[in-house]
Amino acid sequence: MNTLIVIIVAVVALVIGVVIAYFILRNMSNGLIKKAEAEAEVIKKNKIVEAKEKYIALKLEHDNRVKDFETRMRQKEQQLGQREQQLNQRQGELQRAQNDLKQKNEQVENQRQSLQKRLDETEHLHLQAQLQLETISGLSAEEAKKQLLDSLKDEAKTNAMAYINEVMEEARMNANMEAKKVVIKTIQRVATEAAIENSVTVFHIENDEVKGRIIGREGRNIRALEAATGVEFIVDDTPEAIVLSAFDPVRREVARLALHQLVQDGRIHPARIEEVVTKVKKQVEEEIVEVGKRTTIDLGIHGLHPELIKMIGRMKYRSSYGQNLLQHARETANLCAIMAAELGLNPKKARRAGLLHDIGKVPEEDPEIPHAIYGMQLCEKYNEKPDICNAVGAHHDEVEMTTLLAPVVQACDAISGARPGARREIVEAYIKRLKDLENLAASYPGVVKAYAIQAGRELRVIVGADKLSDQETEILSFDIAKKIQDEMTYPGQVKITVIRETRAVSYAK
């Protein structure tokens, strides 16, 4: 019984709790709903205010645009009004001009009619005078005209021959001077560096320990390098340096780059050496093509065959008497363009011929013909124009010159190769040539001293004033020049200057 009462009480308490909880949750939900409705009202009012402000801003912007448009329209109307006034003024001026022109046309017509009358009268008088002259002279008008023309022709021929002779004589006198001016102007407008090429390359290393690694056990590494590259590796007591010796610059460059990569990598053994040398050879071939393309782009030359471009790139690794062949070709090309412009020829063709003139010096095989002839054959093979081919083949007189480009290329080739510092002689041969010049001049009687100056391009000869006269000094200068020309070999030309002076010396004590 007690248990039943407890259960009933518990149930009643639970029911009461549920009712109380229900009312509490209901009050809370009503409060949240009211709070949400209040917040929503505030948000609504804020949005309405923002919308009104945006509407006002857009309306102001629209009003401003309308005002600007109206202002522009008024300006356009004013401009149209001004143009209309100007057109009206011009129309009035045009009308007045038309009236003036009409009056002038009438005046011209009246004058023409009066002149026509005068011409008719003059023609009538001329016919009468002609009849009177024919009657007096006994010659018709055609016969008199023929005699007059014959006399005028004879006189014109005489004057023309005299004028032609004068012009020819003047041309002979000025041709040499004008040619020198063209050459001098061409040289003055080109400035290049003196090129020097060696047959050895010095490879610098960080320390002498690397030398042992390069040599390898019992010299196997250095033998592998020499076999793969065809270059002699000289490892001596020179600190931190290895000398690469070969007359082929391409091989030296391949050897230098391969050795640089091997030293940086640290793995130096025969298999690795062969792998690196093969890779470097391919890089050098790609660089040769790139150099050829860059050279043609720099000079503004287009449409060359890819094989010719490759040969131009190989010029970078060739030299002639110590002068880099690519440098010489570029310089000759620029000289040819400038000289052609001075002479009124096509500078682009001249530049192209100048660049290609020594292309026969860089073949992969070894032809048994002169490089100019071989270069002409290469140009013909790769579809260069006939005037370019002739200029290439004739720049050393192996073939006959048939165009004006050929002498231009020949002259510019000589300018580039003969300028001071362009090409290098062996020191002993150079000193011997200077001594031979001085000894040759000193062998003549009356010569006191002789000096070879300006790298052997000028010989100054001092003679005794009491031994030779002024006329004899001129003869001596000519004789020395002729003997040098006949007996000696030298680049360019040698200027002989003979100095004869009288000195009076006194002493004040």
Side-chain angles (χ1 to χ4, degrees), residues 201-218:
T201 300
V202 178
F203 181 79
H204 296 280
I205 56 179
E206 296 180 357
N207 53 65
D208 290 340
E209 294 180 1
V210 180
K211 288 184 179 180
R213 295 166 55 195
I214 292 173
I215 295 172
R217 182 180 300 174
E218 298 178 355

Side-chain angles (χ1 to χ4, degrees), residues 95-141:
Q95 186 65 34
R96 288 193 294 270
Q98 288 178 350
N99 295 332
D100 293 341
L101 182 61
K102 187 176 180 181
Q103 293 176 0
K104 288 181 180 179
N105 286 334
E106 292 176 355
Q107 293 175 0
V108 169
E109 182 64 25
N110 294 331
Q111 290 178 358
R112 190 186 66 78
Q113 292 177 1
S114 62
L115 286 173
Q116 186 64 39
K117 290 180 181 178
R118 291 182 183 179
L119 285 173
D120 294 339
E121 294 174 357
T122 303
E123 183 69 23
H124 180 68
L125 293 173
H126 176 69
L127 291 174
Q128 290 181 351
Q130 184 177 350
L131 292 173
Q132 290 177 359
L133 287 172
E134 290 178 357
T135 303
I136 294 170
S137 62
L139 295 174
S140 64

Side-chain angles (χ1 to χ4, degrees), residues 466-484:
D466 55 342
K467 296 179 181 179
L468 296 176
S469 63
D470 289 341
Q471 187 175 2
E472 289 172 337
T473 57
E474 295 180 1
I475 297 172
L476 177 64
S477 175
F478 177 78
D479 291 342
I480 293 174
K482 192 172 186 307
K483 192 170 183 180
I484 292 173

Side-chain angles (χ1 to χ4, degrees), residues 11 120 136 141 184 223 235 240 245 315 481 507:
V11 171
D120 294 339
I136 294 170
I184 290 170
R223 285 198 301 271
V235 182
E240 299 181 357
S245 177
M315 286 183 179
Y507 296 92

Side-chain angles (χ1 to χ4, degrees), residues 35-207:
K35 185 178 180 181
E37 289 177 351
E39 289 178 355
E41 188 67 26
V42 171
I43 292 171
K44 179 181 177 182
K45 290 180 180 179
N46 290 335
K47 292 295 181 179
I48 292 171
V49 171
E50 288 177 1
K52 288 181 179 180
E53 290 176 351
K54 189 170 183 180
Y55 169 75
I56 293 170
L58 291 173
K59 188 174 183 303
L60 289 173
E61 184 179 357
H62 175 71
D63 294 340
N64 291 331
R65 288 182 180 179
V66 171
K67 289 180 181 178
D68 292 339
F69 178 74
E70 291 176 352
T71 303
R72 288 197 299 271
M73 291 299 295
R74 284 195 295 271
Q75 291 177 352
K76 293 290 183 182
E77 289 176 357
Q78 292 176 358
Q79 292 176 358
L80 290 173
Q82 292 176 357
R83 290 185 181 180
E84 186 177 0
Q85 292 178 358
Q86 291 175 357
L87 288 173
N88 292 333
Q89 292 176 358
R90 290 183 181 178
Q91 187 176 4
E93 293 174 356
L94 181 61
Q95 186 65 34
R96 288 193 294 270
Q98 288 178 350
N99 295 332
D100 293 341
L101 182 61
K102 187 176 180 181
Q103 293 176 0
K104 288 181 180 179
N105 286 334
E106 292 176 355
Q107 293 175 0
V108 169
E109 182 64 25
N110 294 331
Q111 290 178 358
R112 190 186 66 78
Q113 292 177 1
S114 62
L115 286 173
Q116 186 64 39
K117 290 180 181 178
R118 291 182 183 179
L119 285 173
D120 294 339
E121 294 174 357
T122 303
E123 183 69 23
H124 180 68
L125 293 173
H126 176 69
L127 291 174
Q128 290 181 351
Q130 184 177 350
L131 292 173
Q132 290 177 359
L133 287 172
E134 290 178 357
T135 303
I136 294 170
S137 62
L139 295 174
S140 64
E142 292 297 327
E143 293 174 348
K145 186 186 296 183
K146 185 178 180 182
Q147 290 183 1
L148 180 61
L149 287 174
D150 290 340
S151 63
L152 289 174
K153 284 180 181 179
D154 294 337
E155 184 179 357
K157 285 181 179 178
T158 304
N159 293 335
M161 288 301 297
Y163 179 71
I164 288 171
N165 290 333
E166 291 178 2
V167 171
M168 291 296 292
E169 186 64 28
E170 184 179 358
R172 290 191 190 97
M173 293 174 62
N174 295 334
N176 192 26
M177 185 181 299
E178 291 298 325
K180 288 180 180 178
K181 285 182 181 179
V182 170
V183 173
I184 290 170
K185 287 180 181 178
T186 304
I187 295 173
Q188 286 175 342
R189 290 170 61 183
V190 174
T192 56
E193 299 177 354
I196 296 177
E197 292 291 332
N198 297 315
S199 61
V200 297
T201 300
V202 178
F203 181 79
H204 296 280
I205 56 179
E206 296 180 357
N207 53 65

